[in-house]
Amino acid sequence: MESKTLKKIFIIDDDQEIHNLLKVYLKKVYSLEHAYNGVEAFDLLEQMNELPDLILLDMEMPKMDGPSFRKNLKAHPLLNTIPVIYISSNDQFNDKLDHDFDFDFLNKPIEKEDLLSVLESFFHIQARPF
């Protein structure tokens, strides 16, 4: 029987409660990695043998916020193809972004059904042959 490899999601958020909530929602369906700010996330990404299939990125974090992280990610030759879905409780960020969304923007508090629907759609679209 063929084993199915889980899609790997990298959660970057400074809120421990968000990490816990997303772990409960996603741990049975996805492989998860965590970081608490953009600086830590870059360090971890550069050490990974296998890059994540998707990043869930908080907009407001200490040390390096979401938009700064995304800008640095896009400039990195080995990491710039990792898709990002932004998450935030601040609706004003939607107006400040460069609108180079890879797929979507999730508002906090994150509803389980919304999150699973967005992820299912994202990975379904990614799996389609072109």
Side-chain angles (χ1 to χ4, degrees), residues 15-126:
D15 187 336
Q16 180 64 46
E17 289 183 29
I18 294 295
H19 286 269
N20 294 341
L21 182 68
L22 293 177
K23 184 177 179 181
V24 168
Y25 289 171
L26 302 175
K27 69 181 178 182
K28 292 182 181 178
V29 182
Y30 299 100
S31 170
L32 304 175
E33 296 284 339
H34 302 273
Y36 292 91
N37 62 65
V39 173
E40 178 186 359
F42 262 104
D43 290 343
L44 291 171
L45 281 168
E46 290 179 334
Q47 296 173 27
M48 288 180 183
N49 292 326
E50 183 182 332
L51 294 177
D53 297 295
L54 175 68
I55 293 174
L56 291 178
L57 178 63
D58 185 23
M59 298 300 291
E60 297 179 272
M61 298 179 290
K63 298 186 184 178
M64 184 187 296
D65 66 7
S68 298
F69 175 86
R70 179 67 178 127
K71 182 179 179 181
N72 288 327
L73 187 75
K74 287 171 64 174
H76 194 289
L78 300 176
L79 306 175
N80 62 11
T81 60
I82 305 170
V84 173
I85 293 177
Y86 292 108
I87 54 177
S88 181
S89 58
N90 186 344
D91 290 336
Q92 294 175 341
F93 266 115
N94 195 15
D95 297 332
K96 295 179 182 177
L97 294 173
D98 61 6
H99 294 285
D100 182 24
F101 293 0
D102 288 311
F103 189 72
D104 216 330
F105 182 94
L106 290 168
N107 287 310
K108 293 179 185 177
I110 298 171
E111 298 293 329
K112 181 179 181 179
E113 295 76 20
D114 293 341
L115 174 65
L116 294 176
S117 175
V118 165
L119 293 176
E120 183 179 309
S121 294
F122 173 80
F123 286 119
H124 176 73
I125 288 170
Q126 294 295 312

